[in-house]
Amino acid sequence: MVKPSLKPTPSSARLRGFPRLGIYAPLFCLLACIIINLIMVVWWLLTSDKQPLPVPHNPSHLIHRKRTHSTMNSPRNTINKEPIATVAHVVSLIKCSKSVTGFIDSAAVFRHSIHQQSFEAGKSKYSYHMYAIVHEQCEQHGEILKRLGYRVLHKPPPIRVEEIAEGWYRNHVEGENCCGSAEFIKLYAYELEDYPIVVHWDMDVALLQPMDDLFDAIFYDKSSPQGKAARSRLELQHPGEPLPDKIDAFFTRDVTSAQPWEKVQGVQGGFLIARPSKKDLQTYIDFIKQGNYTRGRGNGSGWNSMGYGGFQGAMAYQGVVAFFYDYYRPNTAVELAVCRWNQVVADVIWRGPARMEHHLQCREYPHDGNFETNTKCEDCRITPIEKVKSAHYTACKKPWECVLPHPRIPRNENQKYRLSHLTNVTTCGMLFSKWFELRRDLERQLQKKGSVEPAVHQGGFNQEYFLGYCERSGKYIPMNPPPDGFDMKEIYGI
């Protein structure tokens, strides 16, 4: 009879040369547990989105409120579970007319473009509120804007003409640009101190990409990781120039109406990001009322005779904002690349007819003073659409005007060459299509809520650009507005 073997089976046999654990077994187990825990901690740190936030410059400016989720079919926000802050986006209604077709559609599509690049749409770390500053003469349009989700502020002009000191400026300001002194209602945006950041826009604008780098650069200290990262990604008009220690504003200059030999340029009035301040608003009001403005253009003209005169809007908003940040708040504002932010698709090259010794130079004054090498500016007329952050429909015309910006024939033959290069029809057309894509998406969202049927868009005018919303040149097919009582929160959640 064969006795069962007492030798260990191969599976339980001790490997040749492997030491007995003996008393070391508990230490081995402890070491293994420590290693596993360290691995888990590192994994959590790398994957967690709950990063600690530094204290902003002014904590009282934060807007805290319970979040409501948008009902739009937008991607889940994977940037933050809660927005860092809420930004006030502001438009101003300065003049009004009985026709509201373009006004309603532009306000609705603009708001939709802001939402599409927001926290609620999963594109940004920042939430938003929409505001409309409505001139006291346009109160009847305030209700329309409320229905579109704007918080309406009915305002008188912050400066009455009779309050301005006697002199040339007081007698001529009302003839400036479109609106004269009425345009100063835009300055009320500085009153919104409950927000850390305010952005004032013209209404003929579409936001195409998120604004987080700009907001972060204001919101975070320059030495914080977030501040450093945001500053490194800013698309500047003058790359390489030192940035302010504390950024209070971003804007673009009105390069397309500048002259190469003039050092001073106005801001483009359709876009200003600022840190709100009632004190700053009062500074504007005080120096405007003083009326210290010298007629003319170039050196010795304009505000305080410092060259801020003669260009488009110099006596109004475009001039006073430029003067304010250059003179009263120097080294606090940053000039952004005009072909990326607030892109108007206009020529930035000097083509005369005056001073043809500057022919083909950049319209912007050379910072190094060398005119001969002042030829390396980006041509905004051919900037790729995917690089454009926000589009401002000025040189291109308004999308709802249903017009392609072909060169017009000027009365003055000397202007023919310049005007023939003013803009680019193809680039404008592609930006038109971006606006109409936003409109189409908005109408579909309204349809899903059962509130309105999209307008039939079978127009045959340049369908690749106008997407069927233009029957012919100048014949626009407007949106069907939502019914009375419809709350836009049903679409946007806020």
Side-chain angles (χ1 to χ4, degrees):
M1 188 169 101
V2 179
K3 294 182 179 181
S5 172
L6 297 178
K7 299 177 66 175
T9 60
S11 62
S12 62
R14 182 166 56 91
L15 294 178
R16 185 181 303 274
F18 195 89
R20 293 181 182 271
L21 292 177
I23 62 172
Y24 298 105
L27 293 175
F28 178 80
C29 293
L30 179 61
L31 180 61
C33 290
I34 292 173
I35 292 173
I36 291 171
N37 278 290
L38 285 173
I39 292 173
M40 292 177 67
V41 169
V42 171
W43 177 85
W44 183 87
L45 289 173
L46 291 175
T47 59
S48 173
D49 63 355
K50 288 184 174 295
Q51 299 178 4
L53 300 177
V55 177
H57 294 305
N58 199 336
S60 65
H61 286 172
L62 284 173
I63 300 294
H64 294 291
R65 55 190 169 83
K66 185 177 180 180
R67 304 303 308 163
T68 55
H69 294 285
S70 170
T71 57
M72 295 184 65
N73 293 328
S74 57
R76 183 178 68 87
N77 193 305
T78 58
I79 300 174
N80 289 79
K81 292 183 179 179
E82 290 292 325
I84 290 174
T86 300
V87 173
H89 292 270
V90 186
V91 298
S92 292
L93 185 59
I94 304 167
K95 284 189 173 183
C96 44
S97 63
K98 293 182 179 180
S99 175
V100 295
T101 297
F103 159 65
I104 292 176
D105 289 12
S106 63
V109 173
F110 171 66
R111 191 262 166 97
H112 194 61
S113 77
I114 297 295
H115 180 88
Q116 293 290 68
Q117 306 301 331
S118 71
F119 171 86
E120 286 72 16
K123 295 289 187 68
S124 170
K125 302 188 295 293
Y126 294 84
S127 184
Y128 72 99
H129 284 163
M130 301 299 300
Y131 278 85
I133 302 170
V134 177
H135 193 282
E136 60 186 2
Q137 296 178 352
C138 300
E139 287 190 9
Q140 69 274 19
H141 289 345
E143 288 303 314
I144 298 173
L145 290 166
K146 285 181 182 179
R147 287 173 55 195
L148 295 175
Y150 288 80
R151 302 173 181 216
V152 175
L153 306 174
H154 294 284
K155 291 287 189 178
I159 299 105
R160 303 280 186 184
V161 174
E162 57 270 22
E163 297 175 324
I164 299 173
E166 287 280 357
W168 189 90
Y169 177 75
R170 172 174 167 168
N171 296 333
H172 292 84
V173 62
E174 294 302 83
E176 180 65 287
N177 219 5
C178 74
C179 317
S181 64
E183 192 177 17
F184 291 138
I185 70 167
K186 292 180 177 181
L187 298 174
Y188 282 120
Y190 284 94
E191 283 192 325
L192 299 176
E193 290 184 326
D194 286 338
Y195 299 85
I197 301 166
V198 62
V199 190
H200 193 285
W201 306 84
D202 280 356
M203 213 177 292
D204 54 345
V205 168
L207 179 61
L208 303 179
Q209 296 188 34
M211 306 179 71
D212 284 36
D213 287 339
L214 306 181
F215 297 159
D216 284 352
I218 292 178
F219 192 78
Y220 290 107
D221 187 89
K222 70 168 189 174
S223 60
S224 69
Q226 295 91 338
K228 288 179 180 178
R231 287 166 174 251
S232 70
R233 292 190 296 264
L234 295 176
E235 298 198 56
L236 307 173
Q237 184 68 6
H238 307 290
E241 287 194 351
L243 295 172
D245 289 342
K246 180 183 176 183
I247 297 174
D248 285 341
F250 287 105
F251 51 70
T252 59
R253 298 277 183 179
D254 192 14
V255 176
T256 58
S257 66
Q259 299 179 151
W261 56 90
E262 293 177 343
K263 293 183 178 181
V264 175
Q265 299 163 352
V267 303
Q268 213 295 332
F271 174 68
L272 172 66
I273 305 175
R275 195 186 301 274
S277 166
K278 292 180 181 179
K279 180 180 178 181
D280 286 351
L281 172 61
Q282 191 59 49
T283 300
Y284 276 107
I285 292 172
D286 290 345
F287 82 74
I288 293 170
K289 285 183 177 180
Q290 291 172 8
N292 187 5
Y293 186 99
T294 303
R295 67 182 300 181
R297 179 163 184 165
N299 293 337
S301 72
W303 297 101
N304 284 19
S305 303
M306 296 180 66
Y308 294 83
F311 51 77
Q312 183 175 342
M315 287 188 283
Y317 185 76
Q318 297 190 187
V320 300
V321 174
F323 180 64
F324 173 80
Y325 282 108
D326 290 348
Y327 183 75
Y328 287 101
R329 299 289 185 272
N331 301 315
T332 64
V334 175
E335 186 179 347
L336 296 172
V338 297
C339 300
R340 311 304 172 89
W341 289 103
N342 201 31
Q343 155 74 307
V344 300
V345 196
D347 194 13
V348 296
I349 306 298
W350 181 253
R351 303 182 193 275
R355 303 285 296 267
M356 288 301 283
E357 69 269 23
H358 294 283
H359 183 225
L360 299 184
Q361 292 177 5
C362 302
R363 281 180 168 269
E364 188 173 27
Y365 185 85
H367 278 222
D368 61 0
N370 190 338
F371 290 105
E372 293 183 1
T373 60
N374 189 27
T375 57
K376 298 178 181 179
C377 39
E378 180 179 353
D379 189 347
C380 297
R381 298 169 303 166
I382 57 173
T383 297
I385 300 300
E386 62 271 14
K387 293 185 178 182
V388 177
K389 309 292 187 178
S390 64
H392 188 183
Y393 299 94
T394 55
C396 285
K397 310 297 184 185
K398 317 305 180 195
W400 54 91
E401 291 177 345
C402 296
V403 175
L404 288 174
H406 292 292
R408 60 184 175 86
I409 300 175
R411 295 179 180 178
N412 184 347
E413 189 68 20
N414 291 334
Q415 298 290 342
K416 185 175 182 180
Y417 167 62
R418 179 183 68 84
L419 293 175
S420 67
H421 291 82
L422 179 61
T423 189
N424 182 287
V425 172
T426 301
T427 303
C428 287
M430 289 190 288
L431 289 176
F432 288 153
S433 69
K434 291 291 185 182
W435 191 90
F436 283 106
E437 286 170 5
L438 286 163
R439 173 191 155 161
R440 181 172 60 192
D441 184 69
L442 173 57
E443 287 184 298
R444 287 172 177 172
Q445 298 302 326
L446 288 168
Q447 184 182 33
K448 287 179 181 179
K449 290 299 172 183
S451 60
V452 66
E453 285 295 317
V456 176
H457 52 284
Q458 298 178 351
F461 180 68
N462 288 277
Q463 289 185 337
E464 71 275 26
Y465 298 145
F466 297 98
L467 306 189
Y469 292 102
C470 294
E471 293 181 2
R472 60 180 182 274
S473 178
K475 182 61 175 177
Y476 176 65
I477 302 172
M479 293 176 59
N480 293 323
D484 292 345
F486 178 77
D487 192 341
M488 294 298 281
K489 288 182 180 178
E490 292 189 35
I491 294 179
Y492 297 125
I494 58 174

